[in-house]
Each structure stands twice: as C-alpha cells, then as structure tokens.
Amino acid sequence: QKEVEQDPGPLSVPEGAIVSLNCTYSNSAFQYFMWYRQYSRKGPELLMYTYSSGNKEDGRFTAQVDKSSKYISLFIRDSQPSDSATYLCAMSETSYDKVIFGPGTSLSVIP
Amino acid sequence: EAGVAQSPRYKIIEKRQSVAFWCNPISGHATLYWYQQILGQGPKLLIQFQNNGVVDDSQLPKDRFSAERLKGVDSTLKIQPAKLEDSAVYLCASSPWAPTGYEQYFGPGTRLTVT
C-alpha cells in the first residue's frame, strides 16, 4: 500500500462546477496536510495547508481533513478554466519532517 | 520577491554521461530541497539542506547522485553516471526555515531526458 494515494483522473468538469479532490493515506502520524497546484511544465505552488483535523477555507478553496478516516479533501467552488492543473496532496508528520506527496489528480475545467 | 531559480530548464544526455543542475532559492530562505518528479508521480524528496548542512538525504542514490550547497545559498545537484530511469523533472524548493517545511516554494524544474 502506497503511503499517499490519489485518483489520477483526469477529471473533467464544466466551468462553475464544484470540484472535489481527495487523498487517502496510511500513516496515522501525519499531522500537516497540504494541497499544491501544478500547472503543466511548472513547479508546484502551495494552495493551502491544514494542521491536524478540521476545515480551512481560502476564497473558493476549502480543505478538509478527517484523521479518523485518513482522508483529506480539497473543494473548489465556482471552478474556472484557470483552475485546470494537477492537484497534489502532500503531508508530513511534523513541520520539520520530509513531505510526502501524492501522485496528483489532473483537473480540466471546460468553458 | 524573486522566486526559486533553476537552470537549465531542459537537458538531454545519453546514459552514462554526467549532468549538473543549479538552484538559487528565495533570498533569505534557510532550507533548500531537491525533488525528483517522474512523469505521473508526485515529487520525491532527494535531499534537504538547512543552511549548508544536510538534514535528510535518505532517498538520494548516493552511488550516482551528489548535491552541495556551498555558503548556504545556491545549490548544485549532480548525476554521474546517468541511467535511463533518471529521466524526470528535478525540482528545487525552498522554505524560510526548517519548522515551516509545510510551506515550500518550488522552482520551475529541470526536465532531464536520458537516452
């Protein structure tokens, strides 16, 4: 079993849709959970991070962490064509530890 | 604020040749990371520096890969000799200091093709 898993997609949605991206993980010691966005031929860009369980909202983006289920989600409201990218979840045990990335989910938002 | 700079952006070499990548982190960032991202996979940490000291190189194939960060600023990653399976994007990232490892800023990467 891989440490962090994501559905690779591709996921294709119409503009304005609500997008749900998910990751599961096996290491119960993870406490920091991040979402990165990676455009084609670019480096990943941090969208948001969450410590431990709960929700965090930033504009159109909401991150949720359910540690009891070892499951994290990223919701994108009112999706835009500019949201078309690969979304990588990432996590670490402490703020010092190495970050483990998921394989990414490719998202296309169709105008 | 200037971002993380990397060069070259693309490199094509034959197997058994050597190659070097350069990274200049965001000014003032003490922590520097090198990642390998194979197509369809997430980035995998190769080595982490805190200033000019190595914090984690447990996943660096030390028989062929080496990295240094002289003077705690820019860094070089070298592969010698290269294998076909080294074809990947090599990403450099930096963060202000080690306790903010969850907040990393990535460069554009160097796309390496080994033929």
Side-chain angles (χ1 to χ4, degrees):
Chain A
Q1 182 186 15
K2 293 186 178 179
E3 208 163 6
V4 180
E5 300 200 58
Q6 280 183 269
D7 185 336
L11 180 63
S12 184
V13 301
E15 183 175 354
I18 296 174
V19 177
S20 172
L21 303 166
N22 311 295
C23 281
T24 58
Y25 61 95
S26 57
N27 183 354
S28 58
F30 285 143
Q31 296 191 83
Y32 286 84
F33 303 92
M34 290 73 77
W35 285 96
Y36 282 82
R37 177 175 63 196
Q38 187 172 25
Y39 291 114
S40 180
R41 300 188 180 272
K42 301 286 188 183
E45 168 195 15
L46 179 66
L47 284 175
M48 51 202 308
Y49 72 90
T50 309
Y51 173 72
S52 193
S53 286
N55 295 357
K56 187 173 185 178
E57 186 174 321
D58 184 0
R60 296 184 296 111
F61 298 89
T62 299
Q64 286 186 353
V65 174
D66 181 350
K67 292 187 68 180
S68 63
S69 301
K70 298 193 185 77
Y71 188 89
I72 70 171
S73 300
L74 178 71
F75 297 96
I76 307 174
R77 292 184 298 280
D78 187 25
S79 56
Q80 303 295 309
S82 58
D83 295 328
S84 298
T86 295
Y87 288 80
L88 301 159
C89 64
M91 40 201 83
S92 63
E93 295 186 14
T94 73
S95 62
Y96 289 85
D97 281 313
K98 70 183 175 191
V99 174
I100 308 298
F101 284 82
T105 298
S106 175
L107 170 68
S108 291
V109 181
I110 311 302
Chain B
E1 178 182 72
V4 176
Q6 290 189 248
S7 68
R9 291 296 313 277
Y10 305 91
K11 190 74 176 179
I12 301 174
I13 62 172
E14 295 182 350
K15 60 183 179 183
R16 291 187 290 274
Q17 286 186 325
S18 63
V19 64
F21 313 125
W22 174 82
C23 171
N24 191 29
I26 292 173
S27 178
H29 280 196
T31 310
L32 185 147
Y33 314 80
W34 282 103
Y35 288 88
Q36 179 192 59
Q37 186 174 24
I38 293 172
L39 186 65
Q41 299 182 20
K44 183 184 84 170
L45 180 69
L46 292 175
I47 189 166
Q48 176 184 342
F49 292 95
Q50 177 69 18
N51 296 311
N52 60 351
V54 175
V55 173
D56 186 340
D57 63 356
S58 57
Q59 298 188 105
L60 186 73
K62 298 179 186 65
D63 58 334
R64 299 184 300 106
F65 286 64
S66 64
E68 60 181 8
R69 189 183 185 195
L70 300 176
K71 300 180 182 178
V73 182
D74 56 353
S75 176
T76 302
L77 176 70
K78 297 179 181 178
I79 307 175
Q80 183 179 12
K83 294 184 175 181
L84 295 176
E85 58 260 37
D86 298 331
S87 293
V89 176
Y90 290 85
L91 294 161
C92 180
S94 68
S95 65
W97 61 315
T100 56
Y102 50 81
E103 185 180 350
Q104 298 184 22
Y105 298 85
F106 284 81
T110 296
R111 185 175 298 271
L112 174 67
T113 302
V114 182
T115 63

